[in-house]
Amino acid sequence: HRFSVGLTGGIGSGKTTVANMFAERGAAVIDTDAIAHQLTAADGIAIAPIRAEFGDAFITTSGAMDRAKMRAHVFSDPTAKQRLEAILHPLIRTETMHAAAQASGLYLLFVVPLLVESGTWKQRVDRILVVDCDEQVQIRRVMQRNALSEPQVRAIMATQASRQQRLQAADDIILNDSDPATLVPQVERLHALYASLNQP
Ligand code: ATP
């Protein structure tokens, strides 16, 4: 059993930024969001079951899932969301475990955006690391990066766990609401801790 950390945080909190810093220091980083994207990209293994369940209308001419269309569909229809998740979640689990088995690194670090919302992920990791961010800062960053309005960002945040719920689930917290340089000592302290906890 390799020591495993689950890294989570709200949209735009800095998960990818922080995960890259752990990877540079030798952690085996497995990004479940990237895996989900691959599954639904052209020729991804989720395309055939999605086509069978939702029809050709949800597959683009290049053979990928039509993300914008599917997002709108599952937003307006909760049962569609469940049906999509029933297809994706087992595939994400299998692909994630496959990636973990092949990864070399001092310990495993899984990036899981909705970890706090997911009972299974909470059980599967040894430790939960939350990237925390002031909500105003978070909203400003996502508005800039994705060209969204504040109400649009707030609507996405409303579908995720609250800042308070995430902090309650956390074993460790990285605060990312100022200069990126402030991340370095926080990452280095936790990297040393995780590497030491991986000892057999
Ligand atoms: P998502 O949930 O959307 O995948 P994320 O949690 O992975 O996002 P990042 O992509 O790492 O977050 O960061 C969100 C945006 O904020 C990016 O554009 C990133 O460059 C920027 N950013 C992250 N940390 C900082 C910081 N400390 N100062 C300024 N900008 C930052």
Side-chain angles (χ1 to χ4, degrees):
H1 174 79
R2 270 204 287 175
F3 185 75
S4 66
V5 179
L7 183 155
T8 192
I11 179 172
S13 56
K15 295 180 293 295
T16 307
T17 305
V18 168
N20 289 341
M21 293 174 69
F22 279 99
E24 282 165 16
R25 287 162 177 80
V29 173
I30 293 142
D31 186 337
T32 60
D33 224 22
I35 288 173
H37 264 78
Q38 285 163 15
L39 292 173
T40 55
D43 300 325
I45 56 177
I47 294 300
I50 289 170
R51 191 192 295 277
E53 181 70 32
F54 293 94
D56 288 338
F58 288 88
I59 310 296
T60 66
T61 49
S62 65
M65 181 177 80
D66 188 331
R67 277 177 220 290
K69 198 163 180 180
M70 187 61 88
R71 200 177 304 121
H73 186 55
V74 301
F75 201 76
S76 66
D77 181 352
T79 68
K81 186 165 190 267
Q82 283 174 7
R83 286 185 288 133
L84 181 64
E85 287 175 353
I87 293 170
L88 289 180
H89 286 182
L91 292 174
I92 293 171
R93 192 171 314 133
T94 310
E95 291 298 301
T96 301
M97 290 304 120
H98 184 69
Q102 297 205 320
S104 59
L106 293 170
Y107 53 88
L108 296 168
L109 190 144
F110 296 101
V111 184
V112 187
L114 299 181
L115 184 143
V116 169
E117 294 84 342
S118 153
T120 44
W121 267 110
K122 268 189 289 197
Q123 288 175 355
R124 267 162 54 196
V125 294
D126 296 312
R127 203 146 171 127
I128 296 176
L129 167 59
V130 168
V131 181
D132 183 45
C133 186
D134 175 83
E135 287 193 352
Q136 282 305 328
V137 176
Q138 181 186 5
I139 290 167
R140 199 176 59 228
R141 284 184 192 152
V142 178
M143 285 173 68
Q144 267 177 16
R145 188 192 55 182
N146 298 8
L148 294 173
S149 68
E150 173 156 353
Q152 286 173 314
V153 179
R154 285 197 182 276
I156 297 169
M157 286 167 66
T159 68
Q160 304 187 339
S162 68
R163 185 180 185 191
Q164 210 47 47
Q165 287 170 321
R166 266 191 297 268
L167 291 176
Q168 268 167 26
D171 295 300
D172 304 305
I173 298 164
I174 287 182
L175 184 62
N176 180 30
D177 62 6
S178 61
D179 197 271
T182 62
L183 295 171
V184 174
Q186 300 185 77
V187 168
E188 289 190 338
R189 181 182 74 79
L190 288 172
H191 176 67
L193 173 68
Y194 298 153
S196 75
L197 289 172
N198 189 40
Q199 302 307 319

